[in-house]
Amino acid sequence: MIHHYHVTSEREESFSLDFEIQADATFAQLMDLLIDTLDFDPASIGMFYICDDRWQNVGQVAHSDFFESDAGNQYEIEKTRLEDLLDDTGARMRYLYDFFEDRYLRLQLVKIHSGSLSSPQIISLEGKKPRQTDPDEFVGGLGGDVLSIDTPLGMMDEAFDEELFNADELSSDSFSIVDEE
């Protein structure tokens, strides 16, 4: 069986992607297709959320190291096949491709038909591709220069804008000190 998916972006309104993939492909193979097609960083962590008809999460497909305790049903990305969780036309999922900015792609299964493919097939790709946040760009955007593991501790204070943290706004009422014996 072959699954035909339509993909849109929550951030890039002009973007759309249609592709076909074997129904017995794993979610890891699907993620590889998305990474290759959209020029995402293959070292970045991604995960899928199985959704109901209102795009609410009802399950999670990820590497077991990244399971969230409140995500509902959890499935391993390397072992779970598309057909195991998505067997009806209209089935929905979201792919979290950017943890820093909480960016998702929406995927909807629009057609299931018989046949086989030797590899996934891109049917159409339109609009501006969504982009992932570069971790260095994200840290640098917090108010200072890009930080690295080699940045001296004194320079880290200088790298952040003082407006992000105001010690005068802290109240001792919200803290408690526990004496350990």
Side-chain angles (χ1 to χ4, degrees):
M1 298 301 284
I2 298 172
H3 280 189
H4 180 127
Y5 289 92
H6 178 71
V7 183
T8 58
S9 169
E10 294 179 345
R11 299 280 176 112
E12 297 294 341
E13 292 181 20
S14 68
F15 169 78
S16 73
L17 167 66
D18 280 88
F19 65 88
E20 291 187 339
I21 189 169
Q22 284 293 132
D24 64 353
T26 64
F27 277 85
Q29 291 170 310
L30 172 58
M31 185 169 63
D32 289 344
L33 170 68
L34 294 171
I35 287 170
D36 291 345
T37 303
L38 301 175
D39 303 320
F40 290 162
D41 180 359
S44 293
I45 301 163
M47 65 180 60
F48 293 91
Y49 292 96
I50 305 304
C51 300
D52 63 16
D53 60 353
R54 295 177 304 164
W55 295 101
Q56 300 299 310
N57 298 344
V58 296
Q60 178 186 17
V61 183
H63 294 284
S64 59
D65 299 349
F66 296 100
F67 284 150
E68 298 171 359
S69 61
D70 61 347
N73 298 321
Q74 299 175 335
Y75 307 91
E76 289 191 44
I77 198 165
E78 295 286 343
K79 297 178 182 176
T80 308
R81 302 195 177 286
L82 298 172
E83 64 191 356
D84 295 341
L85 302 178
L86 306 163
D87 57 356
D88 291 325
T89 300
R92 298 173 182 203
M93 66 179 145
R94 295 186 315 150
Y95 172 59
L96 176 62
Y97 66 91
D98 186 344
F99 278 89
F100 292 106
E101 294 284 331
D102 201 32
R103 293 181 186 171
Y104 294 88
L105 294 176
R106 288 187 222 116
L107 292 86
Q108 186 164 8
L109 178 56
V110 295
K111 185 177 179 183
I112 300 172
H113 58 90
S114 60
S116 66
L117 298 170
S118 58
S119 63
Q121 302 295 311
I122 303 301
I123 306 300
S124 69
L125 174 60
E126 298 177 6
K128 183 178 176 186
K129 290 181 183 179
R131 71 174 189 87
Q132 287 177 302
T133 302
D134 179 354
D136 292 334
E137 182 181 298
F138 182 76
V139 172
L142 288 177
D145 297 326
V146 173
L147 303 178
S148 74
I149 190 103
D150 299 323
T151 303
L153 290 177
M155 292 181 70
M156 285 186 177
D157 291 338
E158 296 170 15
F160 290 94
D161 188 344
E162 292 179 26
E163 292 178 22
L164 289 176
F165 179 85
N166 185 350
D168 296 335
E169 293 176 354
L170 293 178
S171 166
S172 61
D173 297 337
S174 62
F175 293 95
S176 62
I177 299 174
V178 177
D179 291 329
E180 293 185 25
E181 295 183 33

